[in-house]
Amino acid sequence: MKKPYVLVAVAMVLGSILAAGEEAGAIPAFARKYQTSCSTCHVMFPKLNAFGEAFRLNGYQIPAPDGDEPYMKDKPLQLEAPAWKDLWPQAIWPGTIPGMPPIAIRFITHLEITQDETKAYRTNFEFPHEIEALLGGTFGNDMGFFGQIEFKHPNQVALQQAFLKIQDPLTNIGLPVPERAFNLWVGKLDPNYVPSYRNFTRVFRVHPLWGNKRLSDLRLINPDTGASIGAPTTGRDRNRFRLQDFQPAVEANGILFKRFGYSLGLTQGQEEVFDTNNHKDLYYTVRLKLGGRALDGTLPGKEVTIEAPPTGGWVDNAISIEHFGYFGQFRVQATPSRIEDDFSRFGVALNGTFQNLDLAVGYVFGHHDNPLAPDSFQGVDYKSPFVKAEYMFLPWLMGTVRWELLEVSRPSDLVAKGFTVSSLDQQRWLPGVAFLIRANVRVDIQGEIYSVHRESEARNRNKPHTLWVRLDFAF
Amino acid sequence: MKRGRRFALSLVLALGLFPLAGGLGAEGGGTIVGTVTWGPQRLYNAVVYLEKVEGTFPPPQEAAVMAQRKLTYVPHVLPILVGTTVNFTTYDKELHNIKALQEKRTIFNFGMPPGAEPVPKTFRREGVVSLLCSRHQEMSAYIVVLQNPFVALTNEEGEF
């Protein structure tokens, strides 16, 4: 008699996986879905650890060989039976919606103490600074969504993010594309140009200079006369583009050979709903991660597991090399003749994480062809090097320091007229400490100390140093 | 990675021949027991069976039953021996149909109005048959057509 084989029939699952235990739900939407701690995905929220980054890249699904489903504790509502997939395109592709509303709330509160330009101290209670509604989940395998709505005082409501991640669309319809190699993300999203120095999952209170400062903020100052150029006037505008903004975009991205990530996107060019011209901006990013958890979530020789080590899940000994390019156009004058400012940004960063230390160094630079037209038709250069270091002293205690510099060149024709000071030129240090009172409650004490602040200097005034105490919690 | 469903099977194996506990039954042999896990979970309603057992195994005389009740198929998973007849029946007051797929092809599709007489169907090809209802697209069930009767379904603890 031949040796029989014991098999498990796997295709017909089963809708009846064992229910989770009765422990209280964790926090926010993803934590509730998987009944897991924030520290599964975050180092010091919202900063992601390597597992959280793999989860994000995987369309908000656990990147495990078993797939996402066995890890879910919130049973999703099946919209169509899975077998309908076999009849596509004669049937709707089956999907799910979250079983419980995929909503989380975040409160951010600031105490801000500023020594302003007159050397007077100003203390401000921003209680709260903002409240955010965060939405996130999946519509079955290979489709994730995320949304962020901000409520700010007084009466400001802003839709910050709202996008859909369609993972592996070509693979799913049978084309010979490797899994994870091609995804399509559509909506208002974070292009995430420099992952190691990211904008919206940063620990620091303030955005990086290279992300925050735009050419419309530029004023050129004549220190002798006090005259300046740069304020918008009728019929003209200034280039309001900045890298930190979420943008309406269509982005193709993917992971190749586990450790190489790419994205290629087409964006509105500005945050506003209606563009100022018919040009769509283009960007690309590439990243290579050596060592540690790969971008697809795998660890060499290990299974991917979902876990929240009480001693911290931040250790991921790795080096990442990142690069992006952005090519845009902004209309700076509509009448009497149209004038466009063609511009670019490039960035390169090196990020090393070793044990408790996360170190990144990088450089963002770019060029504007025509930002000050019609006052000048010469271009300007934009450059911003940066360094950051974050150190986990304890699972709940992080020390941070950041240094960054921004310089924007001055058109020679305006320099010849005495406009020698660029208001955007800044150099600052951002020391701080962040600690978790609970996994979902964070306190930050951070400083913003300027060693260069040209606009203030041009007026012979003090640099506006600031100290923040921030309370941040989500549930 | 996302599509491949992998199951871990831990077995306590008593030597000799089978049948499996809770299976369709056979004479002689020993017993295999174990647990099926799927990621961190213990898997309910998984089908554990032996493959390529020598011999001929005549199908049972009595038909198995697959019912539509309260907009679900009952049972959700039905393992049968090849050649077994299944009577499809409905207890609902709504119009259903029964659409059966095997290897991505529709092998039959018929309406099940309220009060319809049971419809017998005989399954002569091994494999997994998916059952759907076009009017209620969330409804699903699986008939696993096997070469031999050595089969078990896991309980809520993933045990068989």
Side-chain angles (χ1 to χ4, degrees), chain A residues 304-368:
Chain A
V304 174
T305 56
I306 179 169
E307 55 185 14
T311 53
W314 61 83
V315 175
D316 182 57
N317 297 331
I319 292 177
S320 295
I321 304 161
E322 301 155 358
H323 168 64
F324 77 88
Y326 188 102
F327 307 92
Q329 187 183 79
F330 195 98
R331 180 164 296 164
V332 291
Q333 179 174 286
T335 57
S337 59
R338 291 179 180 177
I339 302 175
E340 308 283 356
D341 176 29
D342 289 299
F343 65 97
S344 62
R345 291 281 191 285
F346 299 95
V348 60
L350 185 66
N351 178 215
T353 49
F354 181 72
Q355 298 301 101
N356 296 347
L357 180 66
D358 182 345
L359 192 64
V361 56
Y363 186 50
V364 173
F365 57 99
H367 181 78
H368 285 250

Side-chain angles (χ1 to χ4, degrees), chain A residues 164-175:
Chain A
L164 194 64
K165 296 184 172 185
I166 305 166
Q167 303 290 109
D168 293 318
L170 302 180
T171 313
N172 284 341
I173 60 172
L175 295 179

Side-chain angles (χ1 to χ4, degrees), chain B residues 7 16 21 24 27 32 39 42 45 53 57 60 68 70 88 101 107 109 121 124 128 130 136 142 159:
Chain B
F7 296 79
L24 298 183
E27 294 181 0
I32 297 174
R42 293 181 167 206
N45 247 352
V53 177
F57 304 98
Q68 291 174 318
K70 296 181 180 176
F88 289 90
L101 307 180
I107 57 173
N109 182 14
K121 291 286 180 184
R124 304 192 186 283
V128 177
S130 304
H136 309 95
Y142 302 91
E159 299 163 349

Side-chain angles (χ1 to χ4, degrees), chain B residues 48-72:
Chain B
V48 183
Y49 61 95
L50 297 183
E51 194 181 51
K52 298 177 183 172
V53 177
E54 283 189 351
T56 55
F57 304 98
Q61 297 294 315
E62 193 176 341
V65 175
M66 176 62 76
Q68 291 174 318
R69 187 192 294 269
K70 296 181 180 176
L71 304 186
T72 58

Side-chain angles (χ1 to χ4, degrees), chain A residues 1 4-5 7-10 12 14 16-18 65-66 69-70 80-81 84 87 142 168 172 179 303, chain B residues 1-7 18 38-39 41 44-45 47-51 54 76 99 132 137 142 156:
Chain A
M1 189 175 189
Y5 298 90
L7 295 183
V8 181
V10 297
M12 66 294 296
L14 295 174
S16 350
I17 300 166
L18 282 186
D66 301 328
E69 199 175 335
E80 296 88 12
W84 285 109
L87 291 179
D142 308 318
D168 293 318
N172 284 341
E179 285 188 9
E303 289 276 322
Chain B
M1 206 159 85
K2 285 166 282 186
R3 288 156 198 81
R5 283 179 166 153
R6 304 194 322 173
F7 296 79
F18 342 96
W38 186 32
Q41 310 222 21
Y44 173 46
N45 247 352
V47 180
V48 183
Y49 61 95
L50 297 183
E51 194 181 51
E54 283 189 351
H76 185 58
K99 185 178 182 68
L132 299 167
Q137 300 208 350
Y142 302 91
E156 291 188 351

Side-chain angles (χ1 to χ4, degrees), chain B residues 12-98:
Chain B
V12 179
L13 182 63
L15 295 176
L17 299 177
F18 342 96
L20 294 173
L24 298 183
E27 294 181 0
T31 301
I32 297 174
V33 295
T35 305
V36 178
T37 57
W38 186 32
Q41 310 222 21
R42 293 181 167 206
L43 202 61
Y44 173 46
N45 247 352
V47 180
V48 183
Y49 61 95
L50 297 183
E51 194 181 51
K52 298 177 183 172
V53 177
E54 283 189 351
T56 55
F57 304 98
Q61 297 294 315
E62 193 176 341
V65 175
M66 176 62 76
Q68 291 174 318
R69 187 192 294 269
K70 296 181 180 176
L71 304 186
T72 58
Y73 280 102
V74 182
H76 185 58
V77 181
L78 177 65
I80 60 171
L81 192 59
V82 67
T84 300
T85 296
V86 176
N87 281 336
F88 289 90
T89 186
T90 182
Y91 296 95
D92 284 345
K93 293 180 178 176
E94 298 194 37
L95 175 64
H96 287 296
N97 71 322
I98 293 178

Side-chain angles (χ1 to χ4, degrees), chain A residues 346-456:
Chain A
F346 299 95
V348 60
L350 185 66
N351 178 215
T353 49
F354 181 72
Q355 298 301 101
N356 296 347
L357 180 66
D358 182 345
L359 192 64
V361 56
Y363 186 50
V364 173
F365 57 99
H367 181 78
H368 285 250
D369 281 350
N370 220 6
L372 296 169
D375 297 313
S376 168
F377 287 93
Q378 294 191 5
V380 302
D381 294 321
Y382 185 104
K383 55 187 178 183
S384 179
F386 58 84
V387 177
K388 76 150 190 186
E390 295 164 2
Y391 191 85
M392 294 298 293
F393 293 100
L394 291 166
W396 51 271
L397 179 63
M398 176 192 277
T400 64
V401 65
R402 201 169 97 193
W403 170 87
E404 54 197 25
L405 169 71
L406 174 65
E407 288 182 353
V408 178
S409 68
R410 298 163 296 281
S412 57
D413 56 343
L414 294 179
V415 171
K417 295 176 185 173
F419 294 94
T420 56
V421 174
S422 164
S423 67
L424 283 181
D425 288 3
Q426 296 176 10
Q427 180 179 210
R428 66 185 180 186
W429 292 86
L430 299 151
V433 60
F435 54 94
L436 295 171
I437 300 174
R438 299 286 186 275
N440 65 323
V441 183
R442 198 184 90 196
V443 174
D444 297 281
I445 302 169
Q446 294 187 357
E448 182 183 7
I449 303 165
Y450 285 92
S451 46
V452 174
H453 196 272
R454 290 281 180 244
E455 183 160 16
S456 301

